[in-house]
Amino acid sequence: MVEEYTINILCKQFGIDKDIIRFVEQSERNILKKFSKIDSVKEFNQYKVISAMHKSRLSATDFYWTTGYGYGDIGRDKVEEIYSRVFNVEDALVRPTIASGTHALNLTLSGILRPGDELLSITGTPYDTLQKVIGIQGDMEGNLIEYGISYKEIPLINNKIDINKAKDSITDKTKIIMIQRSTGYSDRRALTVSEIGEAVSAIKSYNQDVIIMVDNCYGEFLEVKEPTDVGVDIMAGSLIKNPGGGLALSGGYIVGRKNLVEMISNRLTAPGLGKDCGLTFGTTRTTLQGLFLAPHIVSEAVKGALLVAKVYSDLGFKVIPDVDDDRSDIIQAIEFLSEDRVSEFCKGIQSASPVDSHVTPEAWEMPGYEDPVIMAAGGFIEGSSIELSADAPMREPYFAYYQGGLTYEHCKLGIYKSLNNLYNKGLIDLK
Ligand SMILES: *Cc1c(COP(=O)(O)O)cnc(C)c1O
């Protein structure tokens, strides 16, 4: 039941129509029973993170930082030790100077691959920005193909990895097999950790030497296991998505086997320097506090994703993942079939933001992306998509990708505002 005082603030302060409030309330009633499973995953992951902090003896003095080369930055080393424990791996690189998820993935690929090696993607065409990294889109200096690395991809079949074809495609040149967990800007749901585990076992029993890498962006803390718990060798992601818990100011992480992390650290700094230098600029406290909060924040975002899915599926739109699907990332795609609807949806999300709520988002040519992208984001950290955000590449069939939300209530306000916008413009029928 929405209380009278809540209805009042929604109507008076935010201009939400009472019919919209009733509609959302009814959709919400039908998903509340799914929240207990999300809470169980959150509880486990919260204990996992705290346990890693205990085992690593995280201390108040670990928040000090150094200058210059950054040798003996104990906070940096502690962050990397804690990440290694959380992700159940031998070693980690977690740095504020890794500029983004794309940077972390590029470091991973270019740190491991050598001229003559082949990269094989077994989850179809990778995320937009990685296409430029590889060299299959655009013509960027320094892409992998320019360095003499070849590339092949195998599409998903009915949203599943084609394991037999993957095995058949391995040659003695195949160095890395890449798996993208999350949907990206596509029309598939995320792969679950158990699906990733199945593919890893099958491939490893066929060929032990190939390195299996996962793009884990948006997947952290959705399940009680991570891809590195099921045999993945190396994995990367962004700190301004799930694991930064909304507090990390910037950064990326790479976790996995020690020898691989070493190769990558030589690319990050220089051969001979590796991971022993590189300043953290006083960010270790927020990086770790964000990690501490991440299981909770992710659970709020997942509840928001579930609500937006239910609301728009009740209105007759196709949503991916579907309301009853297992979730393995925080993304909710909604197929709007028109530019107007996508744009009004994004404007609604923007107008619910704590920061820049008065700004109107417009589609623009974002570096690294093929089509113009409209982005709704008014977060405390620029570009942070663990905060409530929505984006849409301007191409058919006009999917909007909704993600994040540090609190469920904020997600709900974004849903009210977006729905209200579409309703006022006559772009939806409440039935
Ligand atoms: C977000 C994302 C990336 C990296 O994007 P950045 O904006 O560079 O952090 C890579 N792969 C997937 C699937 C993503 O969702």
Side-chain angles (χ1 to χ4, degrees):
M1 258 299 287
V2 187
E3 299 291 347
E4 201 55 39
Y5 45 77
T6 307
I7 294 174
N8 279 341
I9 192 170
L10 284 172
C11 295
K12 293 205 180 104
Q13 297 299 316
F14 295 105
I16 310 291
D17 195 288
K18 280 205 169 109
D19 289 343
I20 296 288
I21 300 172
R22 267 191 288 275
F23 190 87
V24 171
E25 191 190 7
Q26 193 180 329
S27 296
E28 187 187 45
R29 220 176 290 135
N30 291 308
I31 53 162
L32 287 177
K33 60 185 179 301
K34 289 180 178 290
F35 284 12
S36 70
K37 187 176 165 224
I38 297 170
D39 288 336
S40 303
V41 172
K42 163 177 73 170
E43 184 175 357
F44 175 83
N45 283 327
Q46 182 71 78
Y47 300 154
K48 176 160 85 174
V49 167
I50 296 175
S51 152
M53 291 176 173
H54 288 184
K55 285 186 187 143
S56 305
R57 301 176 66 89
L58 178 63
S59 313
T61 47
D62 290 331
F63 302 130
Y64 297 143
W65 57 291
T66 59
T67 54
Y69 293 121
Y71 290 118
D73 186 327
I74 48 172
R76 180 194 65 215
D77 294 347
K78 200 54 78 80
V79 169
E80 291 178 345
E81 185 183 338
I82 290 169
Y83 260 74
S84 300
R85 291 187 198 278
V86 166
F87 290 101
N88 189 19
V89 293
E90 293 170 357
D91 209 353
L93 274 175
V94 187
R95 305 283 164 123
T97 48
I98 297 179
S100 65
T102 305
H103 187 190
L105 291 157
N106 178 48
L107 282 170
T108 306
L109 291 167
S110 56
I112 298 172
L113 293 164
R114 297 290 179 270
D117 288 345
E118 186 162 87
L119 167 66
L120 173 63
S121 163
I122 59 169
T123 47
T125 308
Y127 189 70
D128 292 45
T129 57
L130 285 185
Q131 297 173 26
K132 294 194 173 167
V133 167
I134 296 164
I136 50 171
Q137 190 66 258
D139 193 14
M140 304 295 148
E141 297 277 354
N143 65 49
L144 295 177
I145 289 172
E146 194 194 17
Y147 276 93
I149 291 150
S150 57
Y151 170 75
K152 275 198 310 225
E153 66 184 36
I154 300 171
L156 294 170
I157 299 184
N158 298 326
N159 210 70
K160 297 237 182 292
I161 295 174
D162 188 342
I163 296 179
N164 287 328
K165 188 140 187 219
K167 288 199 285 195
D168 288 347
S169 305
I170 297 174
T171 66
D172 48 6
K173 285 171 56 183
T174 314
K175 180 74 144 297
I176 294 184
I177 287 189
M178 184 166 67
I179 295 174
Q180 180 181 306
R181 178 175 178 180
S182 165
T183 168
Y185 280 154
S186 75
D187 57 356
R188 65 152 166 116
R189 60 168 180 80
L191 294 174
T192 63
V193 173
S194 105
E195 287 171 319
I196 293 172
E198 243 173 78
V200 172
S201 313
I203 291 165
K204 289 276 177 175
S205 61
Y206 176 77
N207 180 319
Q208 290 184 335
D209 298 329
V210 70
I211 295 162
I212 302 184
M213 162 187 173
V214 166
D215 171 354
N216 202 35
C217 282
Y218 289 129
E220 300 87 356
F221 303 124
L222 261 285
E223 303 186 40
V224 296
K225 284 188 176 176
E226 296 291 337
T228 38
D229 287 310
V230 295
V232 162
D233 298 298
I234 194 85
M235 181 167 91
S238 165
L239 295 198
I240 59 168
K241 293 179 180 174
N242 307 13
L247 291 187
L249 295 178
S250 157
Y253 77 88
I254 297 159
V255 292
R257 269 168 38 200
K258 196 171 182 62
N259 65 319
L260 300 177
V261 171
E262 189 182 336
M263 291 167 94
I264 297 161
S265 70
N266 283 345
R267 169 60 64 139
L268 172 72
T269 59
L273 301 183
K275 58 181 288 199
D276 294 332
C277 68
L279 280 189
T280 50
F281 302 98
T283 55
T284 55
R285 182 198 311 276
T286 39
T287 299
L288 288 176
Q289 197 176 0
L291 181 67
F292 173 81
L293 289 176
H296 176 75
I297 301 290
V298 166
S299 78
E300 298 287 286
V302 177
K303 288 174 185 174
L306 196 52
L307 181 62
V308 80
K310 181 66 180 155
V311 163
Y312 283 94
S313 112
D314 286 347
L315 285 166
F317 292 97
K318 179 178 168 190
V319 296
I320 302 172
D322 217 330
V323 177
D324 292 324
D325 284 343
D326 287 333
R327 283 171 189 263
S328 196
D329 68 8
I330 61 168
I331 317 266
Q332 183 61 51
I334 305 146
E335 190 190 62
F336 277 117
L337 301 171
S338 97
E339 195 169 328
D340 281 353
R341 287 201 200 101
V342 155
S343 142
E344 288 307 320
F345 175 82
C346 290
K347 285 178 191 167
I349 298 291
Q350 179 80 37
S351 68
S353 301
V355 182
D356 289 338
S357 60
H358 49 279
V359 167
T360 306
E362 306 264 1
W364 63 297
E365 308 276 348
M366 250 183 93
Y369 294 82
E370 261 323 281
D371 299 287
V373 180
I374 183 166
M375 293 213 153
F380 293 95
I381 305 286
E382 258 183 77
S384 161
S385 43
I386 185 61
E387 297 184 58
L388 184 62
S389 48
D391 37 56
M394 283 302 177
R395 62 186 178 219
E396 285 183 348
Y398 296 101
F399 273 107
Y401 298 88
Y402 161 108
Q403 65 269 313
L406 300 181
T407 70
Y408 176 65
E409 293 70 26
H410 182 213
C411 297
K412 226 165 135 177
L413 183 64
I415 294 165
Y416 282 134
K417 293 280 283 180
S418 70
L419 206 55
N420 207 55
N421 257 2
L422 289 160
Y423 184 58
N424 287 340
K425 292 260 157 63
L427 295 168
I428 49 162
D429 261 332
L430 285 188
K431 288 176 196 169

